[in-house]
């Protein structure tokens, strides 16, 4: 298939581009590079040995999106593009709603006009909100989120479901994934957050490489094994493979839309992840315990049964793999990707 990957220069998008190419698909990347570096594309080409066409387009611009579809032929779309920082979304809700919704609407309109009927959407476990029973199951229907970022995911899932119900032949996979970490084993691509990292793993990695003084653990008095929050950490390579599996499953779906959890099905605490990273580095890393962070849930993880059985996919890499690959990436790229 010839696949348009929106946000294909980003963290998860770039790893998925490599997985798609390795599986024999042709890939075209569209990215506005607001949260990614153009130098990523050269590394993708070097790792894959294939040319990766790229269009520097903001998908909120409906006219430019339409011209892209006028000039390129696509069999499918994998949609990652969007703002993604939870805290920033609380401070800038209008920017998040406008960007994430407008880009999706432009994409769906262009797909409709050009008869592109396969779509894989990068959703999130945040759509389960604060009250879903653990482990999270796709059958849970009361989707919500406490952040504008998460609400955009809920809204987009509903928009795509409505469009698919009204469009003969359209098939949509909604991939709700949990906590992506890790990096490509080559050390050439990985997570490169702009500014202070919002997520645990890149923060630990920056402490280990000397960019940050210490990790702050937000609360150690939760009702968990060691008192720190537990999350379902998933290697980004496994996550990328899940996107390929979902894409190749679309034509077999008997319903227009299907949601799939991509996770390991196991919770890992903040301190357990820190100690795993220490094993990868070979030394202890400094940390301090701070107060709980508003909005943090004690523990959640996926029920990945549906993805296991219907997609033939399951997470294979361990926490130690995740940490070793992240450390390899961070050592090779202590300041992240070069600007050019």
């Amino acid at each position: 298939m010839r696949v348009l990957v929106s946000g294909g220069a980003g963290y998860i998008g770039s790893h998925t581009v490599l997985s798609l190419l390795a599986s024999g698909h042709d890939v075209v990347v569209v990215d506005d590079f607001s949260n990614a570096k153009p130098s990523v594309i050269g590394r993708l080409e070097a790792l894959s040995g294939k040319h990766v066409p790229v269009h520097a387009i903001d998908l909120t611009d409906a006219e430019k999106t339409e011209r892209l579809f006028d000039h390129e032929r696509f069999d499918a779309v994998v949609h990652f593009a969007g703002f993604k920082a939870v805290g920033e979304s609380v401070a800038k809700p209008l920017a998040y709603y406008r960007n994430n919704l407008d880009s999706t609407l432009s994409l769906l309109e262009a797909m409709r006009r050009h008869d592109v009927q396969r779509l894989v959407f990068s959703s999130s476990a945040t759509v389960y909100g604060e009250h879903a029973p653990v482990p999270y199951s796709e059958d849970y229907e009361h989707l919500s989120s406490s952040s504008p970022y998460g609400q955009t995911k809920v809204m987009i899932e509903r928009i795509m479901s409505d469009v698919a119900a009204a469009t003969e032949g359209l098939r949509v996979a909604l991939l709700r994934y949990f906590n992506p970490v890790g990096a490509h084993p080559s050390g050439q691509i990985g997570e490169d957050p702009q500014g202070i990292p919002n997520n645990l793993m890149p923060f630990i990695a920056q402490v280990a490489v000397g960019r940050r003084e210490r990790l702050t653990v937000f609360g150690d008095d939760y009702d968990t094994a060691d008192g720190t929050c537990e999350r379902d950490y998933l290697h980004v390579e496994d996550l990328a493979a899940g996107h390929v599996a979902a894409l190749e499953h679309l034509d077999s779906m008997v319903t227009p839309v299907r949601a799939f959890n991509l996770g390991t099905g196991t919770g890992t605490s903040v301190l357990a992840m820190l100690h795993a990273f220490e094993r990868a580095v070979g030394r202890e890393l400094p940390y301090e315990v701070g107060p709980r962070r508003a909005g943090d849930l004690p523990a959640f993880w996926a029920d990945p049964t549906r993805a296991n059985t219907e997609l033939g996919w399951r997470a294979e890499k361990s926490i130690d793999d995740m940490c070793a690959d992240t450390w390899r990436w961070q050592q090779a790229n202590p300041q992240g990707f070069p600007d050019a």
Side-chain angles (χ1 to χ4, degrees), residues 53-84:
V54 59
H55 297 267
I57 293 174
D58 182 347
L59 291 174
T60 63
D61 188 322
E63 291 185 5
K64 290 181 179 179
T65 304
E66 180 67 18
R67 286 201 294 272
L68 170 62
F69 278 74
D70 284 339
H71 291 98
E72 297 266 17
R73 179 192 62 81
F74 305 116
D75 300 304
V77 173
V78 181
H79 182 33
F80 295 100
F83 293 164
K84 63 177 185 176

Side-chain angles (χ1 to χ4, degrees), residues 134-136 178-179 230-234 261-268 300-305 308 313-317 322:
V134 178
Y136 292 167
F178 284 64
N179 292 72
E230 294 178 352
R231 298 291 183 264
D232 191 337
Y233 296 99
L234 173 69
N261 287 337
L262 296 185
T264 65
T266 301
T268 300
F300 62 82
W301 55 89
D303 176 355
T305 303
N308 296 165
W313 171 92
R314 69 178 58 247
E316 297 179 353
K317 292 181 180 287
M322 300 173 201

Side-chain angles (χ1 to χ4, degrees), residues 47-281:
L47 288 167
S48 66
K50 298 178 180 179
H51 174 56
V52 179
V54 59
H55 297 267
I57 293 174
D58 182 347
L59 291 174
T60 63
D61 188 322
E63 291 185 5
K64 290 181 179 179
T65 304
E66 180 67 18
R67 286 201 294 272
L68 170 62
F69 278 74
D70 284 339
H71 291 98
E72 297 266 17
R73 179 192 62 81
F74 305 116
D75 300 304
V77 173
V78 181
H79 182 33
F80 295 100
F83 293 164
K84 63 177 185 176
V86 172
E88 183 182 59
S89 78
V90 175
K92 301 177 179 179
L94 282 176
Y96 269 70
Y97 285 117
R98 182 174 297 282
N99 182 81
N100 292 5
L101 296 179
D102 282 359
S103 60
T104 301
L105 293 171
S106 293
L107 200 56
L108 288 169
E109 287 280 9
M111 288 179 63
R112 179 182 61 81
R113 283 192 288 265
H114 293 266
D115 197 32
V116 180
Q117 296 196 321
R118 301 180 183 96
L119 176 60
V120 177
F121 174 55
S122 166
S123 191
S124 168
T126 191
V127 302
Y128 291 110
E130 300 178 5
H131 304 295
V134 178
Y136 292 167
S137 167
E138 299 93 341
D139 293 329
Y140 184 75
E141 297 180 352
H142 303 290
L143 302 183
S144 66
S145 179
S146 59
S147 73
Y149 159 75
Q151 287 289 11
T152 67
K153 294 295 188 182
V154 173
M155 291 178 178
I156 291 169
E157 283 202 14
R158 288 173 175 161
I159 289 168
M160 289 181 173
S161 296
D162 289 343
V163 172
T167 306
E168 182 68 27
L170 180 61
R171 291 293 181 268
V172 182
L174 308 171
L175 302 188
R176 298 171 181 167
Y177 37 84
F178 284 64
N179 292 72
V181 296
H184 191 268
S186 67
Q188 290 301 298
I189 60 171
E191 189 169 9
D192 182 20
Q194 307 302 303
I196 299 174
N198 290 297
N199 299 323
L200 175 65
M201 183 70 95
F203 205 109
I204 295 175
Q206 290 188 11
V207 171
V209 83
R211 286 176 61 181
R212 308 283 169 191
E213 184 177 354
R214 63 174 57 84
L215 172 71
T216 298
V217 177
F218 297 106
D220 64 352
D221 57 351
Y222 289 97
D223 186 18
T224 60
D226 62 19
T228 64
C229 291
E230 294 178 352
R231 298 291 183 264
D232 191 337
Y233 296 99
L234 173 69
H235 199 296
V236 68
E237 290 276 283
D238 284 332
L239 181 56
H243 287 76
V244 178
L247 176 70
E248 295 176 347
H249 177 70
L250 286 173
D251 289 343
S252 302
M253 284 175 27
V254 296
T255 57
V257 180
R258 192 75 163 153
F260 298 95
N261 287 337
L262 296 185
T264 65
T266 301
T268 300
S269 74
V270 171
L271 286 181
M273 181 62 81
L274 173 64
H275 296 325
F277 208 96
E278 290 174 333
R279 292 195 294 273
V281 176

